[in-house]
Coordinates of all heavy atoms in Angstrom, one line a residue:
N278 N -17.7 -0.6 -19.9 CA -17.1 0.0 -18.7 C -17.8 -0.5 -17.4 O -17.6 0.1 -16.3 CB -17.3 1.5 -18.7 CG -18.7 1.9 -18.8 OD1 -19.6 1.1 -19.0 ND2 -19.0 3.2 -18.7
I279 N -18.4 -1.6 -17.4 CA -19.1 -2.2 -16.2 C -18.4 -3.5 -15.8 O -18.1 -4.3 -16.7 CB -20.6 -2.5 -16.5 CG1 -21.3 -1.2 -16.8 CG2 -21.2 -3.1 -15.3 CD1 -22.7 -1.3 -17.3
Q280 N -18.1 -3.6 -14.5 CA -17.5 -4.8 -14.0 C -18.4 -5.3 -12.9 O -18.8 -4.6 -12.0 CB -16.1 -4.5 -13.5 CG -15.4 -5.7 -12.9 CD -14.0 -5.3 -12.4 OE1 -13.7 -4.2 -12.3 NE2 -13.2 -6.3 -12.1
Y281 N -18.7 -6.6 -12.9 CA -19.5 -7.2 -11.9 C -18.6 -8.1 -11.0 O -17.9 -8.9 -11.5 CB -20.6 -8.1 -12.5 CG -21.6 -7.3 -13.3 CD1 -21.5 -7.2 -14.7 CD2 -22.7 -6.7 -12.7 CE1 -22.4 -6.4 -15.4 CE2 -23.6 -5.9 -13.4 CZ -23.5 -5.8 -14.7 OH -24.4 -5.1 -15.4
I282 N -18.8 -7.9 -9.7 CA -18.1 -8.8 -8.8 C -19.1 -9.8 -8.3 O -20.0 -9.4 -7.6 CB -17.5 -7.9 -7.6 CG1 -16.5 -6.9 -8.2 CG2 -16.8 -8.8 -6.6 CD1 -16.0 -5.9 -7.2
E283 N -18.8 -11.0 -8.5 CA -19.8 -12.0 -8.2 C -19.6 -12.7 -6.9 O -20.3 -13.6 -6.5 CB -19.9 -13.1 -9.4 CG -20.4 -12.4 -10.7 CD -20.5 -13.4 -11.8 OE1 -20.3 -14.6 -11.6 OE2 -20.8 -12.9 -12.9
D284 N -18.6 -12.3 -6.2 CA -18.3 -12.9 -4.9 C -19.3 -12.4 -3.9 O -19.4 -11.2 -3.6 CB -16.9 -12.6 -4.4 CG -16.4 -13.2 -3.2 OD1 -17.2 -14.0 -2.6 OD2 -15.3 -12.9 -2.7
V285 N -20.0 -13.3 -3.2 CA -21.1 -12.9 -2.3 C -20.5 -12.3 -1.0 O -21.2 -11.7 -0.3 CB -22.0 -14.1 -2.0 CG1 -22.8 -14.5 -3.2 CG2 -21.3 -15.2 -1.4
R286 N -19.2 -12.6 -0.8 CA -18.6 -12.1 0.4 C -17.7 -10.9 0.2 O -16.9 -10.5 1.0 CB -17.7 -13.2 1.1 CG -18.6 -14.3 1.6 CD -17.7 -15.3 2.3 NE -18.2 -16.6 1.9 CZ -17.5 -17.6 1.4 NH1 -16.3 -17.5 1.3 NH2 -18.1 -18.8 1.1
A287 N -17.8 -10.3 -1.0 CA -16.9 -9.2 -1.4 C -17.1 -8.0 -0.4 O -16.0 -7.3 0.0 CB -17.2 -8.7 -2.8
N288 N -18.3 -7.6 0.0 CA -18.5 -6.5 0.9 C -17.8 -6.8 2.3 O -17.1 -5.9 2.8 CB -20.0 -6.3 1.1 CG -20.3 -4.9 1.7 OD1 -19.5 -4.0 1.5 ND2 -21.3 -4.8 2.4
A289 N -17.9 -8.0 2.8 CA -17.3 -8.3 4.1 C -15.8 -8.3 4.0 O -15.1 -7.8 4.9 CB -17.8 -9.7 4.5
K290 N -15.3 -8.8 2.9 CA -13.8 -8.8 2.7 C -13.3 -7.3 2.6 O -12.2 -7.0 3.1 CB -13.5 -9.5 1.4 CG -13.6 -11.0 1.5 CD -13.3 -11.7 0.2 CE -13.6 -13.2 0.2 NZ -13.3 -13.8 -1.1
G291 N -14.0 -6.5 2.0 CA -13.6 -5.1 1.9 C -13.6 -4.4 3.2 O -12.6 -3.7 3.6
Y292 N -14.6 -4.7 4.0 CA -14.6 -4.1 5.4 C -13.5 -4.7 6.3 O -13.0 -4.0 7.1 CB -16.0 -4.3 6.0 CG -16.9 -3.2 5.7 CD1 -18.0 -3.4 4.7 CD2 -16.8 -1.9 6.2 CE1 -18.8 -2.3 4.4 CE2 -17.7 -0.9 5.9 CZ -18.7 -1.1 4.9 OH -19.5 -0.1 4.6
E293 N -13.2 -5.9 6.1 CA -12.1 -6.5 6.8 C -10.8 -5.9 6.4 O -10.0 -5.6 7.3 CB -12.0 -8.0 6.5 CG -11.0 -8.7 7.3 CD -11.0 -10.2 7.1 OE1 -11.7 -10.7 6.1 OE2 -10.3 -10.9 7.8
M294 N -10.6 -5.6 5.2 CA -9.4 -4.9 4.7 C -9.3 -3.5 5.3 O -8.2 -3.0 5.8 CB -9.3 -4.8 3.2 CG -9.1 -6.1 2.5 SD -9.2 -6.1 0.7 CE -8.0 -4.8 0.3
L295 N -10.4 -2.8 5.3 CA -10.4 -1.4 5.9 C -10.1 -1.5 7.4 O -9.4 -0.6 7.9 CB -11.8 -0.8 5.7 CG -12.1 -0.2 4.3 CD1 -13.6 0.2 4.2 CD2 -11.2 0.9 4.0
G296 N -10.7 -2.4 8.1 CA -10.5 -2.6 9.5 C -9.0 -2.9 9.8 O -8.4 -2.3 10.8
S297 N -8.4 -3.8 9.0 CA -7.0 -4.1 9.2 C -6.1 -2.9 9.0 O -5.2 -2.7 9.7 CB -6.6 -5.2 8.3 OG -7.3 -6.4 8.6
A298 N -6.4 -2.1 8.0 CA -5.6 -0.9 7.7 C -5.8 0.1 8.8 O -4.8 0.7 9.2 CB -6.1 -0.3 6.4
Y299 N -7.0 0.2 9.3 CA -7.2 1.2 10.4 C -6.4 0.8 11.7 O -5.8 1.6 12.3 CB -8.7 1.2 10.8 CG -9.0 2.1 12.0 CD1 -9.0 3.5 11.8 CD2 -9.2 1.6 13.2 CE1 -9.3 4.3 12.9 CE2 -9.5 2.3 14.3 CZ -9.5 3.7 14.2 OH -9.8 4.5 15.2
L300 N -6.5 -0.5 12.0 CA -5.8 -1.0 13.2 C -4.2 -0.9 13.0 O -3.5 -0.5 14.0 CB -6.1 -2.5 13.5 CG -7.5 -2.7 14.0 CD1 -7.9 -4.2 14.1 CD2 -7.7 -2.0 15.3
A301 N -3.7 -1.1 11.8 CA -2.3 -1.0 11.6 C -1.9 0.4 11.7 O -0.8 0.7 12.3 CB -2.0 -1.5 10.2
K302 N -2.7 1.4 11.2 CA -2.4 2.8 11.4 C -2.4 3.2 12.9 O -1.5 4.0 13.3 CB -3.3 3.6 10.6 CG -3.0 5.1 10.5 CD -3.9 5.8 9.6 CE -3.5 7.3 9.5 NZ -4.3 8.0 8.6
A303 N -3.4 2.7 13.6 CA -3.5 3.0 15.0 C -2.3 2.5 15.8 O -1.8 3.1 16.7 CB -4.8 2.4 15.6

């Protein structure tokens, strides 16, 4: 039940997705 995400930029990509969603909603 454990999954490892090995992409070193995964956190930045996630925040970019959140920011885009926020701006689209605004």
Side-chain angles (χ1 to χ4, degrees):
N278 62 348
I279 297 174
Q280 180 181 11
Y281 295 97
I282 301 172
E283 296 182 5
D284 184 2
V285 296
R286 295 184 218 127
N288 197 30
K290 288 177 183 179
Y292 274 104
E293 184 177 7
M294 288 173 59
L295 283 173
S297 296
Y299 176 80
L300 290 174
K302 188 174 181 178

